[in-house]
Amino acid sequence: MAIPTWFSDFDEFVIQEAFDLCQKREIATGIKWNVDHMIPLKSKNACGLHCADNIQVIPQSLNCAKRNDMTFTNPFEWLQNASYRDWE
């Protein structure tokens, strides 16, 4: 249900690039990174989509902490609101 009918090659490309970026960032920083749905696929208040506009790469620790909450739902919001020690 999370994959929209208009899902395209572009969406597939962006998602694959996000997974590749996770690996590159882990090599560069030594910490784990995750592909995150900014608006969770399942939460109490919303159901996000599995598409390019809803994907971001964030530290694994932040992704686990946000769980399915409506946290870091805008691009780069996690970077503006989290301190580096939250990443580890």
Side-chain angles (χ1 to χ4, degrees), residues 25-71:
R25 285 185 178 177
E26 182 175 348
I27 291 167
T29 65
I31 62 173
K32 299 260 186 208
W33 294 77
N34 287 159
V35 175
D36 173 55
H37 293 91
M38 290 181 279
I39 300 190
L41 298 181
K42 292 182 181 180
S43 79
K44 293 178 185 175
N45 301 322
C47 293
L49 296 175
H50 184 66
C51 63
D53 289 340
N54 195 32
I55 295 293
Q56 65 183 346
V57 176
I58 66 174
Q60 181 178 7
S61 59
L62 291 179
N63 193 31
C64 291
K66 81 172 244 184
R67 303 172 47 140
N68 287 332
D69 292 339
M70 295 293 292
T71 306

Side-chain angles (χ1 to χ4, degrees), residues 5-19:
T5 56
W6 43 262
F7 188 87
S8 68
D9 290 342
F10 175 75
D11 296 288
E12 184 66 38
F13 171 76
V14 169
I15 292 167
Q16 184 57 54
E17 287 291 304
F19 279 101

